[in-house]
């Protein structure tokens, strides 16, 4: 098990999620809320980012200390648990027993809530559920709760190919979108023993809830 480390979420690219360090990312000059490691990532992100790129969002957070604190806490939490979420997303997707386009049509979703008197930023939230959903069903679920923004719908429907996993984290009206690409295009996971893949997919939710709610990370 890995111990808590001082990861810096401000050193991650908002598009590719690579941790390159604060000195190698550039902040969006308009909204000042997202960061990119390269011009290529900034251009690729613009299709969805332009829907909310405005100084008004930063100004509204400045006027809402509680909302700003929750937003910052969620960013730090996601950055700390990122590798753990990557592992469980791969297990949950069960690529060995599903069609080649599984990652195009489906996303990995976890739902959080604030913990009362959290002992640390790593235990600021607890998980109460999650699942693998089609993009269409997830958007429909959001519409049942409240009308999602154009940016949210665009992010849910952003398909980055058969080798890229999308993770969606929901917490009290806030949504975080994470993407990560598989190094070998997913070949090793699709070639995994189907019985093992199915077993991992069947157990992931309870195991992840226990890991997050107890703070016991286990990166394989």
């Amino acid at each position: 098990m890995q111990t808590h480390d001082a990861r810096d979420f401000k050193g991650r690219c908002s598009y590719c999620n690579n941790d390159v360090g604060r000195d190698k990312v550039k902040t969006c000059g308009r909204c000042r809320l997202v960061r990119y490691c390269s011009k290529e990532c900034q251009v690729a992100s613009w299709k969805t980012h332009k829907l909310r790129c405005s100084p008004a969002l930063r100004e509204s957070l400045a006027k809402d200390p509680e909302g700003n604190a929750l937003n910052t806490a969620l960013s730090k939490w996601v950055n700390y648990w990122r590798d753990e979420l990557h592992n469980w997303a791969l297990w949950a997707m069960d690529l060995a027993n599903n069609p080649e386009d599984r990652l195009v049509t489906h996303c990995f979703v976890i739902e959080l809530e604030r913990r009362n008197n959290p002992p640390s930023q790593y235990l600021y939230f607890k998980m109460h559920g999650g699942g693998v959903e089609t993009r269409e069903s997830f958007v429909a679920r959001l519409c049942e709760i409240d009308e999602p923004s154009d940016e949210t719908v665009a992010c849910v429907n952003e398909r980055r190919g058969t080798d890229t996993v999308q993770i969606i984290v929901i917490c009290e009206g806030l949504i975080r979108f994470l993407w990560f690409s598989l190094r070998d295009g997913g070949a090793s996971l699709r070639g995994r023993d189907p019985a093992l893949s199915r077993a991992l997919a069947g157990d992931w939710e309870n195991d992840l809830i226990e890991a997050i709610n107890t703070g016991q990370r286990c990166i394989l």
Side-chain angles (χ1 to χ4, degrees):
M1 183 181 73
Q2 292 186 0
T3 58
H4 291 174
D5 50 18
R7 300 183 182 193
D8 183 4
F9 72 95
K10 292 185 178 180
R12 280 193 181 270
C13 176
S14 298
Y15 182 76
C16 69
N17 284 307
N18 284 331
D19 188 354
V20 298
R22 286 197 188 199
D23 58 333
K24 294 183 180 179
V25 294
K26 292 186 177 180
T27 303
C28 175
R30 188 165 184 237
C31 70
R32 309 294 298 174
L33 290 172
V34 296
R35 303 164 187 83
Y36 300 108
C37 66
S38 66
K39 185 67 175 179
E40 290 75 14
C41 282
Q42 182 181 19
V43 171
S45 174
W46 182 242
K47 180 179 179 180
T48 52
H49 179 56
K50 68 181 178 182
L51 298 172
R52 74 161 184 170
C53 183
S54 168
L57 179 58
R58 182 163 48 92
E59 293 167 1
S60 66
L61 286 173
K63 295 176 182 178
D64 179 12
E66 184 178 355
N68 191 32
L70 177 62
N71 183 66
T72 300
L74 184 58
S75 294
K76 291 180 178 180
W77 186 94
V78 166
N79 194 59
Y80 176 76
W81 286 97
R82 187 182 303 264
D83 291 339
E84 196 81 353
L85 297 179
H86 286 187
N87 281 338
W88 258 282
L90 291 175
W91 296 335
M93 284 293 181
D94 189 14
L95 297 184
N97 295 294
N98 281 285
E100 184 79 14
D101 65 350
R102 174 75 160 172
L103 302 183
V104 176
T105 59
H106 289 70
C107 49
F108 177 77
V109 181
I110 69 166
E111 301 183 37
L112 307 174
E113 60 186 10
R114 274 182 282 189
R115 191 189 300 264
N116 292 327
N117 302 315
S120 71
Q121 67 182 32
Y122 314 113
L123 292 170
Y124 198 93
F125 303 96
K126 59 183 179 180
M127 178 179 169
H128 60 80
V132 175
E133 300 185 40
T134 65
R135 298 176 191 279
E136 292 77 12
S137 67
F138 181 71
V139 170
R141 186 154 68 89
L142 289 180
C143 290
E144 291 177 358
I145 302 171
D146 192 11
E147 188 66 28
S149 68
D150 290 342
E151 185 207 17
T152 295
V153 174
C155 285
V156 174
N157 289 319
E158 184 174 349
R159 293 161 168 82
R160 298 190 184 180
T162 59
D163 65 346
T164 302
V165 182
Q166 182 183 42
I167 299 173
I168 302 176
V169 181
I170 310 172
C171 180
E172 300 180 27
L174 295 179
I175 300 181
R176 287 289 186 278
F177 296 94
L178 310 175
W179 287 267
F180 69 96
S181 297
L182 307 181
R183 293 179 181 176
D184 62 355
S188 59
L189 292 167
R190 292 184 176 94
R192 172 180 277 169
D193 176 68
L196 173 61
S197 182
R198 188 178 300 108
L200 291 172
D203 295 338
W204 76 266
E205 185 177 3
N206 289 334
D207 288 346
L208 181 55
I209 287 175
E210 180 179 2
I212 288 175
N213 293 354
T214 60
Q216 299 300 307
R217 296 171 65 229
C218 183
I219 306 301
L220 300 182

